Amino acid sequence: MPGIRETRTLPYSCAQMFDLVADVARYPEFLPWVIATRVRSDSDTEMVADMLVGFKALREKFTSRVIKDRPNRLEVIYIDGPMKDLDNIWRFIPRADGGCDLDFCVDFAFKNKMFEMLAGQYFDRAFRKMVAAFETRADALYGSSSSSAQSVA
């Protein structure tokens, strides 16, 4: 299964970044291509949510289960949607300066292998755009990180 990984050093705490990523209901406010979300169930340790994504006339719904280990990790497990599989893990590693290292990886598989080969190159670009959107959202909520955030992917 193809995978993509991104690591960022951010000035925000693990708890701040965990809370931002776990706030699925607000994704349509800042994530590109996310049209709507619906949280089916939510607790301190687990969430089940639907996400409607779209580009132009194309619309697809994804359902995922999110395992929460606040403030260290979120694991997103694909339940249903147009792909064969789409799992991701967010890890938040504390830094001595009060910030955190964000480690985000996605593993994906399309139902059609030919489509996977064609779309894979665009998936990487879309993935990086979404990670940047989370960073921009953190800047808006917690203060600008323009001088200290860096990608090490």
Side-chain angles (χ1 to χ4, degrees):
M1 190 163 41
I4 303 169
R5 176 178 227 140
E6 182 85 3
T7 303
R8 303 256 177 151
T9 297
L10 299 170
Y12 312 115
S13 72
C14 294
Q16 286 174 312
M17 292 308 300
F18 179 97
D19 291 345
L20 188 156
V21 175
D23 193 4
V24 173
R26 297 208 178 269
Y27 283 10
E29 296 176 18
F30 68 94
L31 276 180
W33 311 295
V34 175
I35 297 166
T37 57
R38 180 179 66 152
V39 176
R40 294 183 184 192
S41 64
D42 194 12
S43 73
D44 288 342
T45 59
E46 184 176 298
M47 172 193 316
V48 175
D50 298 325
M51 184 169 16
L52 181 65
V53 297
F55 181 73
K56 298 188 180 184
L58 179 66
R59 301 276 190 270
E60 295 288 351
K61 184 179 91 168
F62 296 81
T63 302
S64 299
R65 182 167 59 114
V66 181
I67 308 300
K68 300 189 251 179
D69 177 19
R70 187 176 193 277
N72 305 307
R73 175 183 160 109
L74 289 160
E75 182 176 358
V76 182
I77 302 161
Y78 184 74
I79 295 174
D80 188 39
M83 301 182 74
K84 183 177 178 184
D85 204 7
L86 178 64
D87 298 328
N88 58 74
I89 297 175
W90 296 82
R91 289 187 330 129
F92 310 98
I93 301 114
R95 297 178 49 83
D97 63 6
C100 73
D101 287 330
L102 166 69
D103 182 38
F104 180 43
C105 63
V106 173
D107 292 319
F108 61 95
F110 291 90
K111 290 179 180 172
N112 179 311
K113 287 292 180 189
M114 181 65 80
F115 187 72
E116 183 172 296
M117 289 173 29
L118 294 171
Q121 61 190 347
Y122 299 105
F123 196 85
D124 180 70
R125 213 173 312 156
F127 169 82
R128 297 196 191 290
K129 186 171 184 170
M130 290 184 82
V131 171
F134 277 100
E135 186 175 345
T136 299
R137 178 69 168 182
D139 292 348
L141 292 176
Y142 309 128
S144 178
S145 69
S146 58
S147 62
S148 57
Q150 55 184 297
S151 174
V152 291

